[in-house]
Amino acid sequence: MKSNVTKLLSTAAIAATISAGAAAATLDDVKAKGFVQCGVSTGVPGFSNADDKGNWSGIDVDACRATAAAIFGDGQKVKFTPLSAKERFTALQSGEIDVLARNTTWTYTRDASLGLDFTAVNFYDGQGFMVRKDLGVNSALELAGATVCTEQGTTTELNMADFFRKNKMSYVPVVVQKADEALAAYDSGRCDVYTTDKSGLAAHRTKLADPSAHVILPETISKEPLGPVVRHGDNQWKDIVTWAMFVQVNAEEMNITSKNVAKIKSETTDPGIKRLLGVEGDMGAQLGLPADWAYNVIAQVGNYGEVFERNVGPSTPVDLPRGLNALWTEAGGIMYAPPVR
């Protein structure tokens, strides 16, 4: 889910001013207050969603918990701020939140003009279209003249416009402020099509009265690398958020899970694993973290495969395949992290 380029550019001057003052040590501020303030969505199942008791879960939620585990040794030391697509960047720029983990796409304009930095990609995605099965449409190339719902403040608007223009098809956009409002407009019949990232389509489909009555069309019309975002100018904080993710990918490569990490830590003779888990060396000191920071991330949040499977995998209502998000060692996968050494 992505911000409109025009609106992004209008915030560039503010972003430049904020960036100049954003080099303060976020880690010190986080330690002083005792928690990570994390900006999330207003509700995307599998990514950031609260249950009826206010308990948050999802891939993006786990990114925040991994950061907290690295710093405090406690992945529960997080507070969540639900944000619309329109609100999210301002909340980060202003310091209202410490990190934005809100299925946010890494783009050139966002990276270059907002005074923000993207960290690691935690989900490789792409924009698609969802329609009712009874519409009788099997391809996005059959959507000429369709009414299409999407969320305001996202580049799905630009991607959608580009797709229809490229394919010389007319369409009627219906743009609303929040994702749930876009879904409700689609569900009510106000529009024929709902468009957003394909992971978001799968997630929001679970909220419909009869998910099986809706189909996600096969075309993927854009690249959407999603991941946490931080303020520009604080390299230490960026590195912490980034490596909290990279550790999870490395752990999956090494077959280290939340269930076996304690045993492996006590028994391993592998020097690479010893470094990763803080048995040898002091990799944490380079980030201003405890020696066992990576161990705490894995023990409390899990490796990347565990995070994926419990939030969006085939055993969940979202039911997504690993696809591009499989490890680089697996067929079709591109999930890759630098080594810890």
Side-chain angles (χ1 to χ4, degrees):
M1 299 177 185
K2 308 124 298 215
S3 266
N4 180 279
V5 172
T6 302
K7 293 178 181 177
L8 291 180
L9 291 174
S10 70
T11 66
I14 297 173
T17 302
I18 293 169
S19 178
T26 305
L27 177 60
D28 292 341
D29 294 340
V30 166
K31 284 181 174 179
K33 65 187 178 184
F35 59 88
V36 177
Q37 191 75 46
C38 181
V40 292
S41 75
T42 53
V44 178
F47 286 84
S48 51
N49 199 48
D51 63 19
D52 55 6
K53 295 181 180 179
N55 299 311
W56 286 88
S57 65
I59 285 180
D60 288 333
V61 168
D62 282 343
C64 298
R65 295 202 190 283
T67 300
I71 298 165
F72 299 110
D74 184 350
Q76 298 302 311
K77 289 191 174 181
V78 185
K79 294 185 179 181
F80 298 100
T81 302
L83 298 164
S84 70
K86 187 177 180 180
E87 298 166 335
R88 57 184 162 176
F89 295 122
T90 303
L92 182 57
Q93 291 165 340
S94 69
E96 179 185 347
I97 57 175
D98 303 311
V99 57
L100 175 68
R102 192 201 172 283
N103 49 313
T104 297
T105 304
W106 190 343
T107 70
Y108 170 82
T109 300
R110 291 174 174 176
D111 208 3
S113 67
L114 292 183
L116 305 176
D117 283 336
F118 285 79
T119 57
V121 175
N122 67 354
F123 195 90
Y124 289 97
D125 209 347
Q127 187 173 330
F129 298 96
M130 181 166 66
V131 299
R132 297 169 191 79
K133 285 183 178 179
D134 62 14
L135 193 64
V137 170
N138 298 307
S139 167
L141 296 174
E142 299 171 15
L143 294 177
T147 303
V148 187
C149 281
T150 195
E151 183 183 1
Q152 184 182 28
T154 67
T155 54
T156 53
E157 296 176 70
L158 177 61
N159 292 337
M160 175 174 63
D162 285 350
F163 173 79
F164 281 94
R165 181 180 177 186
K166 177 182 177 181
N167 291 287
K168 297 180 172 60
M169 298 189 299
S170 63
Y171 76 105
V172 179
V174 176
V175 182
V176 297
Q177 187 170 357
K178 296 181 179 179
D180 280 345
E181 293 173 1
L183 184 67
Y186 166 75
D187 195 28
S188 71
R190 185 178 170 192
C191 39
D192 306 307
V193 186
Y194 178 41
T195 185
T196 187
D197 299 340
K198 280 192 164 181
S199 65
L201 294 176
H204 288 302
R205 183 168 58 177
T206 67
K207 299 179 179 181
L208 298 172
D210 182 8
S212 66
H214 306 265
V215 61
I216 298 171
L217 298 177
E219 289 84 1
T220 301
I221 68 168
S222 68
K223 295 186 294 184
E224 308 296 333
L226 312 178
V229 193
V230 297
R231 286 180 292 280
H232 183 74
D234 189 340
N235 293 340
Q236 180 190 35
W237 183 245
K238 178 186 176 182
D239 287 345
I240 290 169
V241 175
T242 300
W243 279 95
M245 168 64 185
F246 284 162
V247 157
Q248 294 175 300
V249 176
N250 278 297
E252 185 180 7
E253 290 181 11
M254 296 174 174
N255 295 312
I256 304 172
T257 71
S258 59
K259 296 179 176 62
N260 67 21
V261 66
K263 187 173 189 293
I264 289 176
K265 182 180 181 181
S266 66
E267 297 179 358
T268 187
T269 58
D270 185 316
I273 294 177
K274 285 187 174 184
R275 281 194 300 271
L276 178 70
L277 300 182
V279 177
E280 289 184 355
D282 192 2
M283 307 299 284
Q286 298 175 47
L287 293 175
L289 298 176
D292 61 353
W293 70 278
Y295 170 85
N296 289 329
V297 170
I298 300 163
Q300 296 190 31
V301 185
N303 68 32
Y304 180 75
E306 291 179 278
V307 169
F308 187 98
E309 293 302 325
R310 72 166 169 262
N311 289 305
V312 298
S315 64
T316 71
V318 181
D319 189 20
L320 294 175
R322 281 293 290 267
L324 293 176
N325 296 291
L327 292 179
W328 63 283
T329 52
E330 303 295 328
I334 61 173
M335 186 57 69
Y336 186 99
V340 179
R341 63 169 182 257

